[in-house]
Amino acid sequence: MSRANAACLDRDLSDLPEGMRWREWMLRAEAAIFASREPVSRETLAGLVGDACRLDALLADINEELKGRPYEIVFVAGGWQFRTRPRHAETLRTLAGAKDAGPPSFTKLEMLALSAIAYQQPVTRAELSRLAGHDISRDILGRLKSLGVIAPGPRAPQPGAPIAWVTTARFLEVFALGSLRDLPELDMLGAAGAEGREIDDEIEGALDDALGLFERPGAPDDDALTEREWDA
């Protein structure tokens, strides 16, 4: 919101009774979040309501009214955003023209790579391959990058200065995380990285549970298959 527009807006609504004022603040916040393609920050919402407004309580009241709806307001990537409830993702994918509805799906190797980047970032492709126990190819990283969930980070201080990969705000949106601090505790992965050993079945299972990752439908659970064989 520009400073000129902010100056024109009556944020306090002091001429309204308390109940009507709260209702109007709820409608403003809901409209702002509904109209935005990106998560709306606390600072932006605070610019629409009076200083006396308790934003967390306001958003809780909005979500209370949305309980019977297939969508809700969630805190992701540093702001609030309307999201369809996860249980409706499969339904939306069946609609013509809505193939990309809901979170993207990933192959098993993509899951491993994304999980390792999330917890170990910044991390190079060679380090990812060592952790995963598979070659994490440029194709895998390319697909994750095309989905917007990872991006090149700083170059690692190693011979050849390879690119180290990091997760993005889109990653937070996909997994409904407010920030990386909301990643579930997973001491096992940190220990594996520090000890230079691979991600074993126990860690892999914990990662799946922690992030609720989705496998691409039809991708076989066969470690012997390569990424290209899965996609064939």
Side-chain angles (χ1 to χ4, degrees):
M1 183 188 307
S2 69
R3 290 186 178 180
N5 289 339
C8 296
L9 185 67
D10 178 5
R11 296 170 53 228
D12 294 322
L13 301 174
S14 54
D15 57 329
L16 293 180
E18 183 176 352
M20 292 181 63
R21 182 186 312 129
W22 189 257
R23 169 60 58 181
E24 179 62 22
W25 284 343
M26 286 174 63
L27 293 174
R28 287 183 179 184
E30 186 172 347
I33 297 169
F34 179 82
S36 176
R37 297 184 60 179
E38 307 295 332
V40 180
S41 69
R42 176 180 291 273
E43 180 184 20
T44 297
L45 293 178
L48 303 175
V49 298
D51 292 338
C53 179
R54 293 168 288 112
L55 267 179
D56 291 329
L58 191 81
L59 292 163
D61 281 356
I62 296 172
N63 266 333
E64 181 66 23
E65 293 191 351
L66 296 177
K67 269 188 172 178
R69 312 303 301 173
Y71 46 81
E72 61 186 335
I73 292 175
V74 297
F75 184 76
V76 294
W80 282 271
Q81 188 176 52
F82 267 102
R83 305 287 291 266
T84 52
R85 299 185 191 276
R87 69 189 182 90
H88 297 294
E90 195 61 34
T91 301
L92 294 176
R93 287 195 183 102
T94 66
L95 297 176
K99 292 181 179 178
D100 295 330
S105 56
F106 302 95
T107 67
K108 189 173 182 179
L109 280 179
E110 289 165 356
M111 286 175 169
L112 283 173
L114 184 57
S115 302
I117 293 171
Y119 281 91
Q120 298 286 318
Q121 61 186 299
V123 59
T124 67
R125 188 169 71 88
E127 292 166 339
L128 287 173
S129 296
R130 176 180 56 75
L131 275 168
H134 297 270
D135 177 40
I136 300 300
S137 69
R138 290 183 173 82
D139 286 347
I140 292 176
L141 295 176
R143 180 168 188 272
L144 295 176
K145 183 174 180 289
S146 72
L147 293 171
V149 292
I150 66 169
R155 289 189 176 273
Q158 301 172 9
I163 292 173
W165 294 88
V166 297
T167 55
T168 63
R170 174 62 179 155
F171 168 82
L172 299 177
E173 289 183 42
V174 167
F175 295 102
L177 299 170
S179 73
L180 291 175
R181 289 190 295 274
D182 296 327
L183 279 170
E185 293 291 337
L186 202 61
D187 294 338
M188 288 183 292
L189 184 58
E195 296 167 8
R197 60 185 173 90
E198 297 175 2
I199 297 174
D200 56 23
D201 289 343
E202 182 182 9
I203 295 176
E204 187 179 325
L207 283 168
D208 289 351
D209 291 341
L211 289 180
L213 292 167
F214 302 85
E215 284 198 35
R216 189 180 299 173
D221 184 18
D222 186 343
D223 289 346
L225 294 179
T226 67
E227 171 205 9
R228 291 187 184 283
E229 287 171 320
W230 285 6
D231 289 339

